[in-house]
């Protein structure tokens, strides 16, 4: 995972040197993938005004989650042979995001913007699996499984409300919602069944602080 970490480090330096607006945020996710349900995250984004109607944003975000859930991978004809897995998962996601937003409202006090977003995502993790008969407490196997790194493109929307002059003139409070769908190459292949196989839905709720360097 050296590439995402290097990207984050270089991106952070670039933002501090050239950013017109820089936002740091925290987030909470809902997801169609149980391993990322209610996951937390942190992010950094650079934003630049293209005109009085549009702005562009480029950012990085890191999500992490520890979850526990039950999974029944198959069901035998005999109900006494139903195998259940209790999974304790430690999953992570790193994403690079590009968006363009149109101002629906923009004045000296508040701005509201909406627009499309694309992303490139790295997903990986570790599962601790306890396998047993569903109707008993007998454990047959207890083992760890590493979740291989998956790289997926994502498409989504970003909607943002910015409250300007928060505490000081150049600081803003930002509230953001990001619904997104990850679609990777495995989403279109029928022969493979990886853990993160594409077609994953995410909705991210963010709260952040943005500092504007430009006067």
């Amino acid at each position: 995972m050296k590439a995402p970490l290097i990207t984050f480090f270089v991106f952070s330096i670039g933002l501090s040197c050239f950013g017109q607006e820089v936002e740091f945020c925290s987030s909470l996710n809902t997801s169609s993938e149980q391993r990322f349900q209610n996951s937390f995250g942190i992010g950094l984004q650079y934003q630049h005004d293209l005109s009085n109607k549009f702005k562009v944003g480029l950012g990085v975000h890191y999500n992490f989650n520890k979850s526990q859930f039950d999974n029944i991978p198959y069901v035998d004809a005999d109900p006494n042979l139903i195998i259940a897995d209790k999974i304790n998962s430690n999953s992570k996601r790193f994403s690079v995001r590009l968006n363009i937003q149109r101002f629906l409202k923009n004045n000296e006090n508040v701005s509201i913007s909406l627009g499309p977003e694309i992303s490139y995502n790295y997903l990986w993790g570790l599962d601790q699996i306890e396998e047993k008969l569903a109707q008993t407490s007998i454990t047959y196997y207890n083992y760890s499984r590493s979740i291989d790194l998956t790289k997926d493109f994502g498409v989504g929307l970003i909607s943002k409300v910015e409250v300007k002059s928060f505490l000081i003139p150049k600081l803003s409070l930002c509230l953001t919602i990001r619904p997104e769908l990850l679609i990777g190459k495995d989403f279109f292949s029928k022969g493979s069944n990886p853990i993160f196989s594409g077609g994953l839905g995410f909705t991210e709720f963010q709260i952040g602080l943005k500092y504007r360097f430009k006067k």
Side-chain angles (χ1 to χ4, degrees), residues 1-174:
M1 288 310 303
K2 290 183 178 180
L5 294 177
I6 292 173
T7 301
F8 186 85
F9 180 72
V10 173
F11 188 77
S12 300
I13 295 176
L15 291 185
S16 63
C17 296
F18 304 107
Q20 186 186 50
E21 295 180 346
V22 175
E23 179 186 346
F24 177 79
C25 66
S26 61
S27 68
L28 176 67
N29 278 268
T30 62
S31 177
S32 60
E33 168 56 58
Q34 295 182 84
R35 290 170 178 82
F36 285 105
Q37 184 70 23
N38 299 321
S39 65
F40 294 97
I42 55 174
L44 192 64
Q45 178 166 277
Y46 159 62
Q47 294 176 168
H48 191 95
D49 293 341
L50 298 178
S51 66
N52 60 354
K53 291 186 178 181
F54 293 94
K55 63 180 176 179
V56 64
L58 176 64
V60 292
H61 207 86
Y62 174 70
N63 297 101
F64 51 93
N65 193 36
K66 290 185 178 180
S67 59
Q68 183 182 96
F69 57 93
D70 294 327
N71 180 50
I72 301 178
Y74 62 88
V75 178
D76 195 271
D78 186 346
N80 293 320
L81 295 180
I82 297 176
I83 302 298
D85 291 341
K86 176 181 285 186
I87 299 177
N88 289 279
S89 181
N90 186 356
S91 302
K92 300 175 177 64
R93 173 191 176 204
F94 179 86
S95 56
V96 180
R97 301 167 173 180
L98 176 65
N99 59 72
I100 184 168
Q101 302 168 56
R102 188 184 190 282
F103 290 111
L104 304 179
K105 181 177 182 178
N106 188 25
N107 56 41
E108 61 181 8
N109 298 315
V110 66
S111 71
I112 302 174
S113 57
L114 177 69
E117 182 171 63
I118 59 172
S119 65
Y120 191 70
N121 303 268
Y122 300 84
L123 304 97
W124 72 101
L126 179 69
D127 284 350
Q128 183 69 35
I129 301 172
E130 182 181 342
E131 189 174 278
K132 61 184 179 181
L133 286 176
Q135 298 181 357
T136 72
S137 59
I138 302 174
T139 298
Y140 287 90
Y141 298 104
N142 196 324
Y143 60 96
S144 297
R145 175 180 60 191
S146 178
I147 303 175
D148 294 337
L149 178 67
T150 301
K151 302 175 184 179
D152 282 346
F153 283 100
V155 292
L157 293 173
I158 176 173
S159 58
K160 182 186 290 286
V161 176
E162 176 185 343
V163 180
K164 300 179 180 180
S165 298
F166 181 73
L167 301 179
I168 60 175
K170 291 187 177 182
L171 193 67
S172 298
L173 176 66
C174 299

